[in-house]
Amino acid sequence: KGLVLSLQTLGTFGDHMGRVTTFDSVVPILPFVQNVAAPYLSHPSSEVRRAAALTCCRLLVPPAILNKKRTWSQSSVIIEHVLDLLLQVAVSDPSPVVRLCVVRALDSRYDQFLCQVDSLQRLLLLLQDEVLATRAAGVNLLGRLALLNPALILPAMRKILMEIILELQCGVDAGRGREEATRLLVVFLRCNSLRRLVHPVLPAMIETLPLNGKTPRLASAAMEALGELA
């Protein structure tokens, strides 16, 4: 508990320039994030890993640093190193809660890093996660990044869309797979950058929506998807 609280407290440190003030002297916080918080990303406790991941995400890329080229060049090595560790956690941590927290914490501050080839190769693995919430967060994140690197992302997202339609066509009505596919389709349709992929398969998509699903949850998800299509 004490370790988790310490990491959470660290996450509240630092001003908008990513520095902390100690005894009237200004100290850059990025090396502290790398040397103190990041090592806990591999801690045996999932609670500690989650706290460490959220702390790193909060402090690693302060918004104002993006507009300061000199500081950016000096800090990019640390940022890339810690971000690489965070991506490892996002795709391979044994706790689904930790994986989901990391994906959701990677906001637009990280886009110029995440749209690079090495990062995207890892992010695409999120689409195969066993947990629907993490897959949905991955679709949402990749949809945002598609605005920056469509050539690399859209072919993979087109493949995912085809897999969703196939699951809707062949899935068992009462099974969980068809409901998860429908809910994932809703997330897909809400990403403006991915809508260009929908138009060529629109008739097939409408035909496969389980609007007469045997369970209320499935029918509700199908109606939500139909609403997004409309």
Side-chain angles (χ1 to χ4, degrees):
K1 295 294 184 179
L3 187 53
V4 171
L5 181 60
S6 298
L7 288 166
Q8 291 173 342
T9 303
L10 175 61
T12 65
F13 285 1
D15 59 15
H16 67 286
M17 284 298 297
R19 302 173 296 178
V20 292
T21 303
T22 307
F23 299 112
D24 297 326
S25 62
V26 177
V27 182
I29 201 171
L30 283 181
F32 197 70
V33 173
Q34 181 184 31
N35 299 325
V36 176
Y40 287 106
L41 293 172
S42 58
H43 194 274
S45 168
S46 62
E47 291 186 10
V48 173
R49 295 197 305 274
R50 178 178 179 273
L54 292 177
T55 294
C56 290
C57 289
R58 290 191 189 105
L59 299 179
L60 191 58
V61 183
I65 202 175
L66 300 174
N67 298 322
K68 294 194 172 288
K69 295 182 180 179
R70 184 177 179 182
T71 306
W72 177 253
S73 62
Q74 294 171 348
S75 305
S76 60
V77 174
I78 295 177
I79 294 173
E80 290 176 353
H81 172 68
V82 178
L83 184 58
D84 183 65
L85 297 176
L86 288 170
L87 291 178
Q88 290 182 33
V89 173
V91 301
S92 63
D93 193 276
S95 169
V97 174
V98 175
R99 297 197 303 270
L100 179 60
C101 285
V102 174
V103 178
R104 288 180 172 174
L106 294 174
D107 56 34
S108 58
R109 292 173 296 148
Y110 292 92
D111 285 0
Q112 59 182 294
F113 285 107
L114 297 178
C115 69
Q116 303 303 315
V117 176
D118 292 342
S119 296
L120 284 176
Q121 288 176 343
R122 291 191 175 183
L123 291 175
L124 289 171
L125 296 176
L126 295 173
L127 303 178
Q128 307 302 323
D129 196 276
E130 60 184 7
V131 178
L132 173 62
T134 304
R135 296 201 302 274
V139 169
N140 190 56
L141 174 57
L142 288 164
R144 190 180 79 221
L145 296 175
L147 295 172
L148 301 176
N149 195 343
L152 212 60
I153 296 176
L154 291 184
M157 301 309 291
R158 183 180 292 108
K159 180 181 178 182
I160 291 299
L161 181 60
M162 294 299 102
E163 291 176 358
I164 291 174
I165 293 175
L166 184 62
E167 179 66 31
L168 291 174
Q169 289 174 337
C170 304
V172 179
D173 224 2
R176 187 178 66 177
R178 205 173 186 197
E179 180 187 336
E180 290 190 351
T182 306
R183 295 194 181 280
L184 197 60
L185 177 61
V186 172
V187 177
F188 195 101
L189 295 173
R190 287 175 177 168
C191 296
N192 292 334
S193 60
L194 302 180
R195 289 182 178 176
R196 71 179 76 176
L197 304 178
V198 174
H199 291 287
V201 295
L202 190 57
M205 189 180 300
I206 295 176
E207 289 179 3
T208 57
L209 283 179
L211 297 172
N212 296 319
K214 293 181 179 179
T215 65
R217 289 173 57 88
L218 179 57
S220 172
M223 288 297 294
E224 191 174 0
L226 185 63
E228 292 296 331
L229 286 171

